[in-house]
Amino acid sequence: MLKKILLILTIITLVGCKATKPVIVTTKKVALKPKSEVVTTVKKSNVPKSIITKPVKKEPTISETEVIVSTSKTVVTNAVVKGYISQFKEIAMGNMKSFGIPASIILAQGILESGAGVGDLAISANNHFGIKCHEGWTGESVRHDDDSDQECFRKYNNPSESFKDHAIFLTGRSRYSKLFALPKGDYKAWARGLRTAGYATDPKYPDKLIAYIERYNLQQYDREVLDVNYVSNEKQLVAELSIENKNSKGSDSYEVQKGDTLYSISKKFELRIDELKEKNNLSDNSLSIGQRLIIK
């Protein structure tokens, strides 16, 4: 009986040992597989993230500010530039009709040279075109650093005088005469022609003007003038100006108009400024609208 009991216990022990061994092996194998799978999954998830986040491209847009560099460096917002255009576009179109200078060029030069109206010269002297004193200028002036230190620049009573003097400056000098043979709608040719004629020393001057014209669509004001039968009316305009000049020259006196200066009047009637002052007993250069000047 005892032998039977021992035999049964031995058999049970052997069976128990065989049953536990495969369980241990299976457990180890199951534990290893998920470890290798987890590592592989992490590596794959990192690769697309780096590819997606690196190439971030933004569409080019007009910046919120403009850095204008001419006679002074001026930083302005686009709103200031647009306000300047809105304020002076009518004057520019008027000068295009009267003097033949494209309105787009007038406005682009005004923006560049005056810092859209908030540059040093514009504030201190109402000088919107960076016009220096030059020989024959007897009006007021200010000193300002430009190509050289403390150069002489013209000073005006208001911006309108500056716009008018700019037109007189271009039409009254032979070196700019070739400009007026250019098509009035070709702002690129005018921009390059100004640089060639010596208006500015900056080699990038034409590119700057063209950039402002195209960025702010200033050529629309040229089209607006040209679309109102400007070409066909040009001869009539010249004839009217000739008649006006004849009538003025045939008179012994002249009534001062808004925007007139001694310089512009002297040019109009082919007089020297000192001669004009002597005829009218003027002690300074101040004039008043409606004042009558003796011109003969």
Side-chain angles (χ1 to χ4, degrees):
M1 187 68 182
L2 182 60
K3 286 181 179 180
K4 285 182 180 180
I5 293 169
L6 288 172
L7 182 60
I8 291 168
L9 287 173
T10 302
I11 292 169
I12 291 170
T13 302
L14 289 171
V15 172
C17 288
K18 286 181 180 180
T20 55
K21 280 183 180 179
V23 172
I24 293 168
V25 172
T26 304
T27 304
K28 285 183 180 179
K29 286 181 180 178
V30 170
L32 287 172
K33 283 182 180 179
K35 279 186 181 179
S36 61
E37 287 176 1
V38 169
V39 171
T40 304
T41 305
V42 170
K43 285 182 180 178
K44 284 181 180 179
S45 63
N46 283 341
V47 172
K49 280 184 181 178
S50 61
I51 293 171
I52 293 169
T53 54
K54 278 184 180 179
V56 178
K57 293 183 179 180
K58 292 182 179 180
E59 292 296 324
T61 57
I62 297 175
S63 61
E64 293 183 358
T65 60
E66 291 281 356
V67 179
I68 301 173
V69 180
S70 187
T71 53
S72 62
K73 183 176 180 180
T74 312
V75 180
V76 298
T77 63
N78 287 341
V80 170
V81 178
K82 290 176 181 177
Y84 183 88
I85 295 166
S86 178
Q87 183 178 358
F88 295 109
K89 66 181 180 180
E90 295 298 333
I91 293 177
M93 288 191 288
N95 280 6
M96 181 175 181
K97 293 175 183 177
S98 298
F99 298 96
I101 306 164
S104 60
I105 288 291
I106 296 169
L107 289 169
Q109 281 194 283
I111 291 168
L112 178 58
E113 298 288 354
S114 75
V118 295
D120 294 343
L121 275 176
I123 297 297
S124 64
N126 285 313
N127 190 329
H128 284 235
F129 296 92
I131 299 180
K132 297 177 183 179
C133 293
H134 296 287
E135 186 178 354
W137 175 255
T138 59
E140 292 185 73
S141 63
V142 295
R143 294 286 172 177
H144 182 77
D145 292 346
D146 191 37
D147 296 326
S148 303
D149 293 340
Q150 294 298 289
E151 291 190 82
C152 182
F153 285 85
R154 300 181 182 189
K155 182 178 180 180
Y156 306 97
N157 292 324
N158 53 61
S160 296
E161 286 187 10
S162 178
F163 273 78
K164 186 172 183 179
D165 194 42
H166 169 258
I168 294 171
F169 185 82
L170 292 182
T171 55
R173 282 167 168 72
S174 58
R175 62 175 173 164
Y176 298 115
S177 59
K178 290 183 180 179
L179 290 172
F180 295 90
L182 298 172
K184 292 174 178 60
D186 191 350
Y187 60 85
K188 291 182 179 179
W190 273 80
R192 297 186 187 105
L194 282 167
R195 169 72 176 86
T196 302
Y199 193 96
T201 56
D202 183 1
K204 294 183 179 180
Y205 193 79
D207 296 332
K208 290 178 181 179
L209 294 182
I210 292 168
Y212 284 124
I213 290 170
E214 294 180 347
R215 187 177 306 158
Y216 293 100
N217 193 25
L218 302 182
Q219 65 270 37
Q220 66 180 301
Y221 305 115
D222 297 340
R223 292 195 296 266
E224 188 172 338
V225 172
L226 294 172
D227 286 346
V228 187
N229 300 320
Y230 176 69
V231 176
S232 61
N233 285 342
E234 187 171 8
K235 290 181 179 179
Q236 180 183 347
L237 177 62
V238 171
E240 288 173 357
L241 288 172
S242 299
I243 292 169
E244 182 185 342
N245 287 336
K246 277 185 181 179
N247 291 339
S248 298
K249 289 179 181 179
S251 175
D252 293 334
S253 64
Y254 172 76
E255 183 176 326
V256 177
Q257 307 295 314
K258 184 178 180 180
D260 279 338
T261 63
L262 279 178
Y263 177 75
S264 65
I265 295 171
S266 67
K267 288 292 183 184
K268 186 172 186 177
F269 295 102
E270 299 175 359
L271 294 169
R272 297 191 313 275
I273 292 176
D274 57 353
E275 184 181 358
L276 190 59
K277 290 173 73 173
E278 185 179 349
K279 285 178 179 292
N280 293 276
N281 296 319
L282 299 175
S283 57
D284 55 32
N285 296 327
S286 60
L287 297 173
S288 58
I289 297 173
Q291 178 182 356
R292 296 207 72 85
L293 297 177
I294 298 171
I295 55 173
K296 281 195 175 182

